[in-house]
Amino acid sequence: MGMNIAVLGAQWGDEGKGKIVDLLTPHFGIVARYQGGHNAGHTVYVNGRKFVLHLIPSGILHEGVRCVIGNGVVVDPQALFAEIEELARLGIEVGDRLLVSEKAHLILPYHRELDVLSEARRGERKIGTTSRGIGPAYEDKIGRRGIRVCDLVDTRALADEVRENVNARNQIIRDSKMEWQTVYEQLLAHGARLRPWTGDVSLALHDAMRQGRRILFEGAQGAMLDIDHGTYPYVTSSNASIGGACTGLGIPPRAVHGVLGVAKAYTTRVGEGPLPTELLGDLGERLRESGQEYGASTGRPRRCGWYDAVAVRYAVRVNGIDALALTKLDVLDGLEAIDICTGYRVGDRTIDTFPADLNTVGPCTPVYESWPGWTAPTRGVCRYDDLPDEARRYIARLEEVSGVPVAVISTGSDRAETIIRDDSIAARWFPAASVHLA
Ligand code: IMP
């Protein structure tokens, strides 16, 4: 039986999962997304060309790989079609390689408006969402009034549901004169266009597993943005952590044979909410500029700070992360000293696990260790032994304080700029992975 691996973010998203998934895809027959929506932005560079995928797994860039969008994902049909068209322009045909769950919920035009409205209402307490309608679509799902892919047939039930939903929203959204008939007609058209790609994802994955095909479960956002385990309420509205893979695809826990967490060699976050290691001065600016830390979906500047081992350790525990892929190590090139946060100081106590109550996180002061930086560039280094001593020492310390080995190291944005350590679990998961780096 093939080994199935989940790849998920161990911080606040934007860890570089897109590149890691893209790199590992040749080892899998299927890449399956289980949560989130087009709030995600996975940037992949292939032969110097930049691809940004929001909804379709980046596995689509590989010939013969099937890509799955699970029931846990919220789908904006317009965004999906736009992405399919953009891929076609770049010479990549989706064809029959895409499967969208018939149980996936849809993002409708009023969800986007509600997202913006809800942020405006929160004022200073705004979440800093991507304004894509993600939260309101999940609210409707949990409120049992959502519309799913399989509902898009010309039935009385759909017409009734749309009429009720649109009329209710028109009362909430001031000056909204959205006509339910227009939304209904649009949905029928979307349904007809979507039909060739829709099906029973759970069944398809079970059949594939029986045939020995390997599946890569692709998480969007990151563990610290998880609706249950993240920095609530400054989170996204889905389970970005490992549990989401089971509920969001209809697969049992035993179908996940390993978890690869992706973490940057420092920390970033986009949007509001606590970021204990945030650097507000020149250093933060330096990380933002050399790391090109601007949102792939919204272009917003990301907040930057030192590596937070408290957060990563927490993500390791919640997700059962077996190993880390450490990304953007090269961004730290040339820094004189690099700090690692190993705990938080709250009053006269030091805590070493991430607290639930944001009133505790807010006033905490990170406890830092300072490590010497390196002068020789790590950019593009492909062998562990070729890294400067100080960089290897930094990685070894990150492993100790994060409680997990680092199996993969990314030293640049291209596929080839990667180290896969032969002595790590990755070598078992992805035999001869380095063959695919070129
Ligand atoms: P929403 O997912 O649009 O509702 O946004 C909720 C929070 O999650 C905001 O802080 C967003 O900036 C953040 N977020 C959503 N998607 C991503 C992502 O792909 N990367 C990083 N942050 C994200």
Side-chain angles (χ1 to χ4, degrees):
M1 195 180 61
M3 272 188 133
N4 307 321
I5 307 297
V7 177
L8 47 80
Q11 294 161 323
W12 279 272
D14 307 321
E15 298 92 349
K17 297 177 290 296
K19 166 177 167 170
I20 301 297
V21 169
D22 177 62
L23 176 78
L24 300 178
T25 295
H27 299 272
F28 296 87
I30 300 177
V31 180
R33 248 193 84 176
Y34 56 84
Q35 45 69 235
H38 65 310
N39 48 351
H42 290 170
T43 308
V44 185
Y45 293 85
V46 186
N47 301 329
R49 284 166 78 194
K50 182 176 170 184
F51 297 82
V52 184
L53 290 158
H54 299 281
L55 205 44
I56 302 179
S58 46
I60 205 74
L61 305 176
H62 296 255
E63 238 173 86
V65 171
R66 276 196 102 188
C67 287
V68 164
I69 295 180
N71 58 281
V73 176
V74 282
V75 177
D76 180 327
Q78 266 161 350
L80 179 66
F81 298 141
E83 206 156 287
I84 292 171
E85 284 160 19
E86 177 63 15
L87 283 167
R89 253 194 301 280
L90 295 166
I92 294 156
E93 286 305 326
V94 168
D96 60 359
R97 293 190 296 127
L98 178 67
L99 181 67
V100 182
S101 169
E102 55 203 358
K103 293 183 189 162
H105 280 249
L106 297 171
I107 298 180
L108 301 175
Y110 50 80
H111 289 136
R112 287 189 291 271
E113 292 194 33
L114 288 171
D115 198 346
V116 174
L117 188 72
S118 151
E119 285 285 83
R121 282 218 179 113
R122 289 182 67 98
E124 288 201 342
R125 289 168 44 254
K126 72 173 196 277
I127 309 291
T129 71
T130 58
S131 315
R132 303 283 202 270
I134 307 292
Y138 279 115
E139 280 178 46
D140 276 358
K141 171 178 177 174
I142 302 301
R144 293 163 296 186
R145 53 180 175 268
I147 293 171
R148 298 174 303 164
V149 169
C150 62
D151 298 328
L152 300 185
V153 280
D154 189 2
T155 63
R156 252 322 257 292
L158 177 65
D160 289 347
E161 196 74 37
V162 173
R163 186 175 50 241
E164 226 166 86
N165 278 349
V166 171
N167 290 343
R169 291 336 188 283
N170 280 345
Q171 287 169 21
I172 302 173
I173 308 169
R174 209 185 326 155
D175 301 329
S176 173
K177 302 210 171 40
M178 208 177 279
E179 290 189 350
W180 76 265
Q181 291 91 340
T182 315
V183 178
Y184 175 68
E185 296 296 329
Q186 212 179 35
L187 283 178
L188 290 181
H190 289 335
R193 197 168 167 197
L194 260 178
R195 205 147 304 138
W197 287 301
T198 54
D200 185 334
V201 158
S202 166
L203 184 63
L205 294 182
H206 279 71
D207 286 347
M209 285 189 275
R210 252 205 312 270
Q211 291 160 13
R213 297 184 79 188
R214 296 185 71 183
I215 306 169
L216 189 157
F217 305 113
E218 177 179 352
Q221 290 85 45
M224 302 309 286
L225 286 171
D226 182 282
I227 183 77
D228 284 286
H229 301 291
T231 45
Y232 190 90
Y234 299 98
V235 289
T236 192
S237 298
S238 63
N239 283 120
S241 52
I242 193 64
C246 294
T247 56
L249 289 165
I251 50 130
R254 64 174 175 273
V256 185
H257 305 119
V259 183
L260 180 67
V262 186
K264 266 182 208 170
Y266 49 98
T267 309
T268 65
R269 151 163 226 172
V270 60
E272 309 302 318
L275 184 64
T277 61
E278 182 165 16
L279 294 165
L280 293 168
D282 290 350
L283 260 172
E285 196 53 42
R286 150 78 169 76
L287 289 177
R288 184 158 36 253
E289 285 317 309
S290 42
Q292 277 306 294
E293 297 295 355
Y294 295 90
S297 284
T298 58
R300 289 179 290 177
R302 296 180 185 139
R303 299 154 63 194
C304 299
W306 295 124
Y307 188 89
D308 185 341
V310 182
V312 176
R313 215 157 44 218
Y314 172 77
V316 167
R317 166 160 58 85
V318 168
N319 294 284
I321 291 174
D322 297 293
L324 285 178
L326 190 71
T327 60
K328 292 198 154 183
L329 181 69
D330 55 298
V331 172
L332 302 179
D333 286 358
L335 286 174
E336 215 166 284
I338 302 167
D339 287 0
I340 303 173
C341 165
T342 55
Y344 301 148
R345 191 96 193 130
V346 187
D348 54 2
R349 287 185 307 138
T350 300
I351 54 173
D352 62 2
T353 183
F354 209 90
D357 180 5
L358 294 196
N359 293 322
T360 311
V361 187
C364 80
T365 336
V367 178
Y368 286 120
E369 290 178 358
S370 182
W371 286 78
W374 46 89
T375 42
T378 66
R379 182 86 206 240
V381 170
C382 319
R383 279 167 29 109
Y384 189 71
D385 292 343
D386 292 344
L387 288 174
D389 286 350
E390 294 84 356
R392 277 184 282 146
R393 239 176 286 147
Y394 177 67
I395 295 167
R397 186 61 185 147
L398 293 190
E399 292 181 307
E400 280 170 6
V401 292
S402 310
V404 73
V406 170
V408 179
I409 300 154
S410 170
T411 56
S413 50
D414 209 81
R415 272 180 200 162
E417 296 173 315
T418 313
I419 299 166
I420 300 202
R421 294 173 79 179
D422 323 321
D423 55 348
S424 72
I425 196 167
R428 205 150 38 86
W429 287 344
F430 321 113
S434 48
V435 170
H436 297 283
L437 292 182

